[in-house]
Short mmCIF file of all heavy atoms in Angstrom, two decimals:
data_model
loop_
_atom_site.label_atom_id
_atom_site.label_comp_id
_atom_site.label_asym_id
_atom_site.label_seq_id
_atom_site.Cartn_x
_atom_site.Cartn_y
_atom_site.Cartn_z
N HIS A 1872 -3.14 6.68 9.99
CA HIS A 1872 -2.33 5.75 10.76
C HIS A 1872 -1.05 5.37 10.02
O HIS A 1872 0.03 5.27 10.63
CB HIS A 1872 -3.14 4.48 11.07
CG HIS A 1872 -4.14 4.65 12.17
ND1 HIS A 1872 -3.77 4.91 13.48
CD2 HIS A 1872 -5.49 4.59 12.17
CE1 HIS A 1872 -4.86 5.01 14.23
NE2 HIS A 1872 -5.90 4.82 13.46
N PHE A 1873 -1.14 5.17 8.72
CA PHE A 1873 0.05 4.87 7.92
C PHE A 1873 1.06 6.01 8.03
O PHE A 1873 2.26 5.78 8.23
CB PHE A 1873 -0.37 4.65 6.47
CG PHE A 1873 0.77 4.71 5.49
CD1 PHE A 1873 1.63 3.65 5.33
CD2 PHE A 1873 0.99 5.86 4.72
CE1 PHE A 1873 2.68 3.70 4.43
CE2 PHE A 1873 2.03 5.93 3.82
CZ PHE A 1873 2.87 4.84 3.67
N CYS A 1874 0.58 7.24 7.92
CA CYS A 1874 1.49 8.39 8.01
C CYS A 1874 2.12 8.50 9.39
O CYS A 1874 3.31 8.82 9.52
CB CYS A 1874 0.73 9.68 7.67
SG CYS A 1874 0.20 9.78 5.95
N LEU A 1875 1.33 8.25 10.44
CA LEU A 1875 1.89 8.32 11.79
C LEU A 1875 3.00 7.29 11.98
O LEU A 1875 4.02 7.57 12.62
CB LEU A 1875 0.78 8.10 12.82
CG LEU A 1875 -0.30 9.19 12.91
CD1 LEU A 1875 -1.34 8.82 13.95
CD2 LEU A 1875 0.31 10.54 13.25
N ASN A 1876 2.82 6.10 11.41
CA ASN A 1876 3.85 5.08 11.52
C ASN A 1876 5.11 5.48 10.74
O ASN A 1876 6.23 5.29 11.21
CB ASN A 1876 3.32 3.74 11.00
CG ASN A 1876 2.25 3.16 11.92
OD1 ASN A 1876 2.25 3.41 13.13
ND2 ASN A 1876 1.34 2.38 11.37
N ILE A 1877 4.91 6.04 9.56
CA ILE A 1877 6.05 6.49 8.76
C ILE A 1877 6.79 7.61 9.49
O ILE A 1877 8.03 7.65 9.54
CB ILE A 1877 5.58 6.95 7.38
CG1 ILE A 1877 5.11 5.76 6.55
CG2 ILE A 1877 6.69 7.70 6.65
CD1 ILE A 1877 6.20 4.82 6.13
N ILE A 1878 6.04 8.53 10.08
CA ILE A 1878 6.65 9.66 10.80
C ILE A 1878 7.48 9.14 11.98
O ILE A 1878 8.61 9.60 12.21
CB ILE A 1878 5.56 10.63 11.28
CG1 ILE A 1878 4.93 11.35 10.08
CG2 ILE A 1878 6.13 11.64 12.26
CD1 ILE A 1878 3.67 12.10 10.41
N LYS A 1879 6.93 8.19 12.70
CA LYS A 1879 7.67 7.63 13.84
C LYS A 1879 8.97 6.97 13.37
O LYS A 1879 10.05 7.17 13.97
CB LYS A 1879 6.79 6.60 14.56
CG LYS A 1879 7.47 5.90 15.72
CD LYS A 1879 7.73 6.82 16.88
CE LYS A 1879 6.42 7.17 17.58
NZ LYS A 1879 6.66 7.94 18.82
N LEU A 1880 8.90 6.21 12.29
CA LEU A 1880 10.11 5.55 11.78
C LEU A 1880 11.12 6.57 11.27
O LEU A 1880 12.34 6.39 11.45
CB LEU A 1880 9.72 4.58 10.65
CG LEU A 1880 8.92 3.35 11.09
CD1 LEU A 1880 8.41 2.59 9.89
CD2 LEU A 1880 9.76 2.43 11.96
N LEU A 1881 10.65 7.63 10.64
CA LEU A 1881 11.56 8.67 10.17
C LEU A 1881 12.22 9.40 11.34
O LEU A 1881 13.38 9.80 11.25
CB LEU A 1881 10.81 9.66 9.28
CG LEU A 1881 10.31 9.12 7.93
CD1 LEU A 1881 9.51 10.17 7.20
CD2 LEU A 1881 11.49 8.65 7.08
N ARG A 1882 11.49 9.58 12.43
CA ARG A 1882 12.09 10.18 13.63
C ARG A 1882 13.21 9.30 14.16
O ARG A 1882 14.28 9.79 14.53
CB ARG A 1882 11.02 10.36 14.70
CG ARG A 1882 10.07 11.53 14.45
CD ARG A 1882 9.03 11.59 15.54
NE ARG A 1882 8.08 12.68 15.33
CZ ARG A 1882 6.96 12.85 16.06
NH1 ARG A 1882 6.68 11.99 17.04
NH2 ARG A 1882 6.15 13.85 15.80
N TRP A 1883 12.97 8.01 14.19
CA TRP A 1883 14.01 7.08 14.66
C TRP A 1883 15.22 7.13 13.73
O TRP A 1883 16.36 7.05 14.19
CB TRP A 1883 13.44 5.66 14.73
CG TRP A 1883 12.41 5.49 15.80
CD1 TRP A 1883 12.08 6.38 16.78
CD2 TRP A 1883 11.57 4.35 16.00
NE1 TRP A 1883 11.08 5.87 17.58
CE2 TRP A 1883 10.75 4.63 17.15
CE3 TRP A 1883 11.41 3.14 15.36
CZ2 TRP A 1883 9.81 3.73 17.61
CZ3 TRP A 1883 10.46 2.23 15.83
CH2 TRP A 1883 9.67 2.52 16.94
N GLU A 1884 14.97 7.24 12.45
CA GLU A 1884 16.09 7.34 11.52
C GLU A 1884 16.91 8.60 11.75
O GLU A 1884 18.14 8.56 11.80
CB GLU A 1884 15.57 7.34 10.08
CG GLU A 1884 15.21 5.98 9.53
CD GLU A 1884 14.90 6.03 8.05
OE1 GLU A 1884 14.89 7.13 7.48
OE2 GLU A 1884 14.66 4.96 7.48
N ASN A 1885 16.22 9.71 11.90
CA ASN A 1885 16.91 10.99 12.06
C ASN A 1885 17.62 11.11 13.41
O ASN A 1885 18.55 11.90 13.56
CB ASN A 1885 15.93 12.15 11.88
CG ASN A 1885 15.36 12.20 10.47
OD1 ASN A 1885 16.01 11.77 9.51
ND2 ASN A 1885 14.15 12.70 10.33
N SER A 1886 17.15 10.35 14.41
CA SER A 1886 17.80 10.42 15.72
C SER A 1886 19.18 9.77 15.71
O SER A 1886 20.01 10.04 16.59
CB SER A 1886 16.92 9.72 16.76
OG SER A 1886 16.87 8.32 16.53
N ASN A 1887 19.42 8.87 14.73
CA ASN A 1887 20.70 8.18 14.60
C ASN A 1887 21.01 7.31 15.82
O ASN A 1887 22.17 6.98 16.08
CB ASN A 1887 21.84 9.17 14.37
CG ASN A 1887 23.00 8.54 13.61
OD1 ASN A 1887 22.80 7.60 12.84
ND2 ASN A 1887 24.20 9.04 13.84
N LEU A 1888 19.98 6.95 16.57
CA LEU A 1888 20.16 6.10 17.75
C LEU A 1888 19.84 4.64 17.47
O LEU A 1888 20.21 3.77 18.25
CB LEU A 1888 19.27 6.60 18.90
CG LEU A 1888 19.56 8.02 19.40
CD1 LEU A 1888 18.55 8.41 20.48
CD2 LEU A 1888 20.98 8.13 19.94
N VAL A 1889 19.15 4.37 16.37
CA VAL A 1889 18.78 3.00 16.00
C VAL A 1889 19.76 2.54 14.93
O VAL A 1889 19.74 3.03 13.80
CB VAL A 1889 17.33 2.94 15.48
CG1 VAL A 1889 16.94 1.50 15.20
CG2 VAL A 1889 16.38 3.56 16.50
N SER A 1890 20.60 1.59 15.30
CA SER A 1890 21.67 1.17 14.37
C SER A 1890 21.10 0.56 13.10
O SER A 1890 21.68 0.71 12.02
CB SER A 1890 22.59 0.17 15.07
OG SER A 1890 21.84 -0.96 15.51
N HIS A 1891 19.97 -0.13 13.22
CA HIS A 1891 19.40 -0.78 12.04
C HIS A 1891 18.83 0.22 11.05
O HIS A 1891 18.54 -0.16 9.90
CB HIS A 1891 18.29 -1.75 12.47
CG HIS A 1891 18.76 -2.84 13.39
ND1 HIS A 1891 19.85 -3.62 13.11
CD2 HIS A 1891 18.28 -3.29 14.58
CE1 HIS A 1891 20.04 -4.50 14.08
NE2 HIS A 1891 19.11 -4.32 14.99
N LEU A 1892 18.63 1.46 11.47
CA LEU A 1892 18.03 2.45 10.57
C LEU A 1892 19.04 3.48 10.08
O LEU A 1892 18.65 4.49 9.49
CB LEU A 1892 16.88 3.18 11.30
CG LEU A 1892 15.67 2.33 11.67
CD1 LEU A 1892 14.65 3.17 12.43
CD2 LEU A 1892 15.02 1.72 10.44
N ARG A 1893 20.31 3.23 10.31
CA ARG A 1893 21.31 4.21 9.89
C ARG A 1893 21.48 4.27 8.38
O ARG A 1893 22.00 5.24 7.85
CB ARG A 1893 22.64 3.89 10.57
CG ARG A 1893 22.62 4.24 12.05
CD ARG A 1893 23.90 3.86 12.76
NE ARG A 1893 23.80 4.17 14.18
CZ ARG A 1893 24.69 3.79 15.09
NH1 ARG A 1893 25.74 3.07 14.71
NH2 ARG A 1893 24.53 4.11 16.36
N THR A 1894 21.05 3.23 7.69
CA THR A 1894 21.10 3.27 6.22
C THR A 1894 19.85 3.92 5.63
O THR A 1894 19.69 3.93 4.41
CB THR A 1894 21.22 1.84 5.67
OG1 THR A 1894 20.12 1.04 6.14
CG2 THR A 1894 22.53 1.21 6.12
N ARG A 1895 18.96 4.45 6.47
CA ARG A 1895 17.75 5.15 6.05
C ARG A 1895 16.88 4.31 5.12
O ARG A 1895 16.48 4.75 4.03
CB ARG A 1895 18.10 6.46 5.35
CG ARG A 1895 18.89 7.45 6.18
CD ARG A 1895 19.17 8.73 5.44
NE ARG A 1895 17.94 9.39 5.01
CZ ARG A 1895 17.53 9.44 3.75
NH1 ARG A 1895 18.23 8.87 2.77
NH2 ARG A 1895 16.42 10.07 3.43
N PRO A 1896 16.52 3.09 5.52
CA PRO A 1896 15.68 2.28 4.60
C PRO A 1896 14.28 2.86 4.41
O PRO A 1896 13.75 2.86 3.29
CB PRO A 1896 15.64 0.91 5.30
CG PRO A 1896 15.89 1.21 6.74
CD PRO A 1896 16.83 2.37 6.76
N ILE A 1897 13.68 3.38 5.49
CA ILE A 1897 12.33 3.92 5.37
C ILE A 1897 12.35 5.25 4.63
O ILE A 1897 11.51 5.51 3.75
CB ILE A 1897 11.69 4.08 6.77
CG1 ILE A 1897 11.72 2.74 7.53
CG2 ILE A 1897 10.27 4.57 6.65
CD1 ILE A 1897 10.97 1.62 6.83
N GLY A 1898 13.29 6.11 4.98
CA GLY A 1898 13.38 7.40 4.31
C GLY A 1898 13.59 7.25 2.81
O GLY A 1898 12.96 7.93 2.00
N ARG A 1899 14.47 6.34 2.43
CA ARG A 1899 14.72 6.13 1.00
C ARG A 1899 13.50 5.54 0.32
O ARG A 1899 13.21 5.86 -0.85
CB ARG A 1899 15.92 5.21 0.84
CG ARG A 1899 17.24 5.84 1.28
CD ARG A 1899 18.33 4.81 1.47
NE ARG A 1899 18.62 4.10 0.24
CZ ARG A 1899 19.41 3.01 0.18
NH1 ARG A 1899 19.95 2.55 1.29
NH2 ARG A 1899 19.64 2.43 -0.97
N ALA A 1900 12.76 4.70 1.03
CA ALA A 1900 11.55 4.12 0.44
C ALA A 1900 10.49 5.18 0.22
O ALA A 1900 9.80 5.20 -0.81
CB ALA A 1900 11.02 3.00 1.32
N VAL A 1901 10.32 6.08 1.20
CA VAL A 1901 9.34 7.15 1.04
C VAL A 1901 9.76 8.11 -0.07
O VAL A 1901 8.93 8.58 -0.86
CB VAL A 1901 9.15 7.91 2.38
CG1 VAL A 1901 8.19 9.07 2.21
CG2 VAL A 1901 8.63 6.96 3.46
N GLU A 1902 11.06 8.39 -0.14
CA GLU A 1902 11.54 9.27 -1.21
C GLU A 1902 11.31 8.65 -2.58
O GLU A 1902 11.00 9.36 -3.55
CB GLU A 1902 13.03 9.56 -1.00
CG GLU A 1902 13.31 10.44 0.20
CD GLU A 1902 14.72 10.28 0.74
OE1 GLU A 1902 15.55 9.66 0.02
OE2 GLU A 1902 15.00 10.75 1.85
N ALA A 1903 11.42 7.33 -2.67
CA ALA A 1903 11.15 6.66 -3.94
C ALA A 1903 9.66 6.71 -4.29
O ALA A 1903 9.30 6.59 -5.47
CB ALA A 1903 11.63 5.21 -3.88
N ASN A 1904 8.81 6.85 -3.27
CA ASN A 1904 7.36 6.94 -3.49
C ASN A 1904 6.85 8.37 -3.31
O ASN A 1904 5.68 8.58 -2.97
CB ASN A 1904 6.63 6.01 -2.52
CG ASN A 1904 6.82 4.55 -2.84
OD1 ASN A 1904 6.21 4.01 -3.75
ND2 ASN A 1904 7.70 3.90 -2.09
N LEU A 1905 7.74 9.33 -3.53
CA LEU A 1905 7.39 10.73 -3.28
C LEU A 1905 6.18 11.17 -4.11
O LEU A 1905 5.29 11.86 -3.62
CB LEU A 1905 8.60 11.61 -3.60
CG LEU A 1905 8.54 13.05 -3.08
CD1 LEU A 1905 8.47 13.08 -1.58
CD2 LEU A 1905 9.78 13.83 -3.56
N GLN A 1906 6.14 10.75 -5.35
CA GLN A 1906 5.04 11.17 -6.22
C GLN A 1906 3.71 10.62 -5.72
O GLN A 1906 2.70 11.33 -5.73
CB GLN A 1906 5.29 10.69 -7.65
CG GLN A 1906 4.22 11.14 -8.63
CD GLN A 1906 4.58 10.78 -10.06
OE1 GLN A 1906 5.69 10.39 -10.34
NE2 GLN A 1906 3.63 10.92 -10.96
N ARG A 1907 3.70 9.39 -5.24
CA ARG A 1907 2.46 8.79 -4.74
C ARG A 1907 1.99 9.49 -3.46
O ARG A 1907 0.79 9.66 -3.25
CB ARG A 1907 2.66 7.31 -4.50
CG ARG A 1907 2.94 6.53 -5.78
CD ARG A 1907 3.19 5.06 -5.51
NE ARG A 1907 3.44 4.34 -6.74
CZ ARG A 1907 4.62 4.24 -7.35
NH1 ARG A 1907 5.67 4.83 -6.79
NH2 ARG A 1907 4.75 3.58 -8.47
N VAL A 1908 2.92 9.87 -2.60
CA VAL A 1908 2.54 10.62 -1.40
C VAL A 1908 1.98 11.97 -1.79
O VAL A 1908 0.99 12.45 -1.21
CB VAL A 1908 3.75 10.77 -0.46
CG1 VAL A 1908 3.36 11.56 0.78
CG2 VAL A 1908 4.29 9.41 -0.04
N GLY A 1909 2.58 12.61 -2.80
CA GLY A 1909 2.06 13.88 -3.28
C GLY A 1909 0.66 13.74 -3.85
O GLY A 1909 -0.21 14.60 -3.63
N VAL A 1910 0.41 12.67 -4.58
CA VAL A 1910 -0.93 12.43 -5.13
C VAL A 1910 -1.94 12.26 -4.00
O VAL A 1910 -3.07 12.77 -4.06
CB VAL A 1910 -0.91 11.19 -6.04
CG1 VAL A 1910 -2.34 10.77 -6.42
CG2 VAL A 1910 -0.12 11.47 -7.30
N ALA A 1911 -1.55 11.53 -2.95
CA ALA A 1911 -2.44 11.34 -1.81
C ALA A 1911 -2.77 12.67 -1.13
O ALA A 1911 -3.94 12.95 -0.81
CB ALA A 1911 -1.82 10.37 -0.80
N LEU A 1912 -1.76 13.52 -0.91
CA LEU A 1912 -2.00 14.83 -0.30
C LEU A 1912 -2.88 15.68 -1.22
O LEU A 1912 -3.79 16.38 -0.74
CB LEU A 1912 -0.66 15.53 -0.04
CG LEU A 1912 -0.74 16.94 0.55
CD1 LEU A 1912 -1.49 16.92 1.88
CD2 LEU A 1912 0.64 17.53 0.72
N HIS A 1913 -2.64 15.64 -2.50
CA HIS A 1913 -3.44 16.41 -3.46
C HIS A 1913 -4.90 15.99 -3.41
O HIS A 1913 -5.82 16.82 -3.46
CB HIS A 1913 -2.87 16.20 -4.87
CG HIS A 1913 -3.37 17.18 -5.88
ND1 HIS A 1913 -4.55 17.00 -6.57
CD2 HIS A 1913 -2.86 18.36 -6.31
CE1 HIS A 1913 -4.74 18.02 -7.38
NE2 HIS A 1913 -3.73 18.86 -7.25
N GLU A 1914 -5.12 14.68 -3.27
CA GLU A 1914 -6.51 14.17 -3.25
C GLU A 1914 -7.21 14.51 -1.94
O GLU A 1914 -8.35 14.96 -1.94
CB GLU A 1914 -6.49 12.66 -3.45
CG GLU A 1914 -7.86 12.01 -3.40
CD GLU A 1914 -7.82 10.51 -3.59
OE1 GLU A 1914 -6.80 10.01 -4.12
OE2 GLU A 1914 -8.78 9.83 -3.20
N TYR A 1915 -6.54 14.30 -0.82
CA TYR A 1915 -7.20 14.52 0.48
C TYR A 1915 -7.36 16.00 0.80
O TYR A 1915 -8.22 16.36 1.59
CB TYR A 1915 -6.40 13.83 1.58
CG TYR A 1915 -6.73 12.36 1.73
CD1 TYR A 1915 -6.32 11.44 0.77
CD2 TYR A 1915 -7.46 11.88 2.81
CE1 TYR A 1915 -6.63 10.10 0.88
CE2 TYR A 1915 -7.77 10.54 2.93
CZ TYR A 1915 -7.34 9.65 1.97
OH TYR A 1915 -7.65 8.33 2.08
N ALA A 1916 -6.53 16.86 0.22
CA ALA A 1916 -6.63 18.29 0.49
C ALA A 1916 -7.63 18.98 -0.43
O ALA A 1916 -7.84 20.19 -0.28
CB ALA A 1916 -5.25 18.95 0.33
N SER A 1917 -8.24 18.26 -1.32
CA SER A 1917 -9.16 18.87 -2.27
C SER A 1917 -10.49 19.20 -1.59
O SER A 1917 -11.08 18.38 -0.88
CB SER A 1917 -9.42 17.92 -3.44
OG SER A 1917 -10.39 18.44 -4.30
N LEU A 1918 -10.95 20.41 -1.80
CA LEU A 1918 -12.25 20.82 -1.26
C LEU A 1918 -13.40 20.11 -1.95
O LEU A 1918 -14.49 19.97 -1.38
CB LEU A 1918 -12.42 22.33 -1.41
CG LEU A 1918 -11.67 23.21 -0.41
CD1 LEU A 1918 -11.75 24.66 -0.83
CD2 LEU A 1918 -12.22 23.04 1.00
N LEU A 1919 -13.17 19.66 -3.16
CA LEU A 1919 -14.23 19.02 -3.94
C LEU A 1919 -14.23 17.50 -3.77
O LEU A 1919 -14.92 16.80 -4.51
CB LEU A 1919 -14.05 19.36 -5.42
CG LEU A 1919 -14.07 20.86 -5.76
CD1 LEU A 1919 -13.85 21.06 -7.25
CD2 LEU A 1919 -15.37 21.49 -5.32
N ARG A 1920 -13.47 16.98 -2.81
CA ARG A 1920 -13.41 15.53 -2.62
C ARG A 1920 -14.75 15.01 -2.14
O ARG A 1920 -15.40 15.59 -1.28
CB ARG A 1920 -12.32 15.19 -1.59
CG ARG A 1920 -11.99 13.72 -1.53
CD ARG A 1920 -10.71 13.52 -0.75
NE ARG A 1920 -10.87 13.88 0.64
CZ ARG A 1920 -11.10 13.01 1.62
NH1 ARG A 1920 -11.18 11.74 1.33
NH2 ARG A 1920 -11.22 13.40 2.86
N ILE A 1921 -15.17 13.88 -2.72
CA ILE A 1921 -16.46 13.28 -2.37
C ILE A 1921 -16.33 12.54 -1.04
O ILE A 1921 -15.45 11.70 -0.86
CB ILE A 1921 -16.92 12.31 -3.47
CG1 ILE A 1921 -17.10 13.07 -4.79
CG2 ILE A 1921 -18.23 11.63 -3.08
CD1 ILE A 1921 -17.43 12.17 -5.96
N HIS A 1922 -17.22 12.84 -0.11
CA HIS A 1922 -17.22 12.19 1.21
C HIS A 1922 -18.26 11.07 1.20
O HIS A 1922 -19.45 11.31 1.40
CB HIS A 1922 -17.52 13.20 2.31
CG HIS A 1922 -16.45 14.23 2.49
ND1 HIS A 1922 -15.49 14.16 3.47
CD2 HIS A 1922 -16.15 15.34 1.79
CE1 HIS A 1922 -14.67 15.18 3.39
NE2 HIS A 1922 -15.05 15.92 2.35
N LYS A 1923 -17.82 9.85 0.95
CA LYS A 1923 -18.75 8.72 0.91
C LYS A 1923 -19.20 8.38 2.32
O LYS A 1923 -18.38 8.28 3.24
CB LYS A 1923 -18.08 7.51 0.27
CG LYS A 1923 -17.71 7.72 -1.19
CD LYS A 1923 -17.07 6.45 -1.76
CE LYS A 1923 -16.69 6.66 -3.21
NZ LYS A 1923 -16.04 5.46 -3.79
N PRO A 1924 -20.50 8.19 2.52
CA PRO A 1924 -20.97 7.85 3.88
C PRO A 1924 -20.53 6.45 4.30
O PRO A 1924 -20.30 5.58 3.46
CB PRO A 1924 -22.49 7.94 3.73
CG PRO A 1924 -22.76 7.72 2.27
CD PRO A 1924 -21.58 8.30 1.54
N TYR A 1925 -20.39 6.28 5.60
CA TYR A 1925 -20.04 5.00 6.22
C TYR A 1925 -18.63 4.52 5.84
O TYR A 1925 -18.34 3.34 5.89
CB TYR A 1925 -21.06 3.91 5.86
CG TYR A 1925 -22.48 4.29 6.15
CD1 TYR A 1925 -23.40 4.47 5.12
CD2 TYR A 1925 -22.91 4.52 7.46
CE1 TYR A 1925 -24.71 4.84 5.38
CE2 TYR A 1925 -24.21 4.89 7.73
CZ TYR A 1925 -25.11 5.06 6.69
OH TYR A 1925 -26.40 5.43 6.96
N THR A 1926 -17.79 5.43 5.43
CA THR A 1926 -16.40 5.08 5.14
C THR A 1926 -15.49 6.03 5.90
O THR A 1926 -15.93 7.03 6.47
CB THR A 1926 -16.11 5.19 3.63
OG1 THR A 1926 -16.30 6.55 3.22
CG2 THR A 1926 -17.03 4.28 2.83
N MET A 1927 -14.21 5.71 5.87
CA MET A 1927 -13.24 6.54 6.57
C MET A 1927 -13.10 7.93 5.95
O MET A 1927 -12.72 8.87 6.63
CB MET A 1927 -11.87 5.84 6.58
CG MET A 1927 -11.80 4.64 7.50
SD MET A 1927 -11.99 5.11 9.24
CE MET A 1927 -11.81 3.52 10.04
N ILE A 1928 -13.38 8.05 4.67
CA ILE A 1928 -13.23 9.36 4.05
C ILE A 1928 -14.39 10.29 4.40
O ILE A 1928 -14.42 11.44 3.96
CB ILE A 1928 -13.11 9.25 2.51
CG1 ILE A 1928 -14.32 8.55 1.92
CG2 ILE A 1928 -11.86 8.54 2.13
CD1 ILE A 1928 -14.29 8.52 0.41
N SER A 1929 -15.35 9.79 5.20
CA SER A 1929 -16.37 10.68 5.74
C SER A 1929 -15.88 11.41 6.98
O SER A 1929 -16.55 12.32 7.47
CB SER A 1929 -17.64 9.89 6.06
OG SER A 1929 -17.38 8.92 7.05
N LEU A 1930 -14.71 11.01 7.50
CA LEU A 1930 -14.13 11.69 8.66
C LEU A 1930 -13.46 12.99 8.22
O LEU A 1930 -13.20 13.20 7.03
CB LEU A 1930 -13.08 10.78 9.31
CG LEU A 1930 -13.58 9.45 9.89
CD1 LEU A 1930 -12.41 8.59 10.32
CD2 LEU A 1930 -14.53 9.68 11.05
N PRO A 1931 -13.19 13.90 9.15
CA PRO A 1931 -12.45 15.13 8.78
C PRO A 1931 -11.11 14.78 8.14
O PRO A 1931 -10.37 13.95 8.65
CB PRO A 1931 -12.27 15.84 10.13
CG PRO A 1931 -13.37 15.32 10.99
CD PRO A 1931 -13.60 13.90 10.57
#
Side-chain angles (χ1 to χ4, degrees):
H1872 283 296
F1873 164 78
C1874 293
L1875 293 179
N1876 291 332
I1877 290 291
I1878 291 168
K1879 177 69 72 173
L1880 291 171
L1881 292 176
R1882 284 178 181 171
W1883 292 351
E1884 280 188 357
N1885 296 331
S1886 68
N1887 207 28
L1888 298 177
V1889 184
S1890 58
H1891 300 309
L1892 294 178
R1893 287 177 182 171
T1894 58
R1895 300 181 59 252
I1897 304 300
R1899 292 164 62 190
V1901 177
E1902 290 157 12
N1904 289 282
L1905 194 62
Q1906 183 174 348
R1907 295 178 179 85
V1908 179
V1910 169
L1912 178 58
H1913 194 274
E1914 178 181 340
Y1915 276 71
S1917 175
L1918 282 170
L1919 302 178
R1920 192 166 66 98
I1921 299 175
H1922 293 261
K1923 295 181 181 178
Y1925 307 114
T1926 62
M1927 288 295 182
I1928 58 176
S1929 62
L1930 297 172

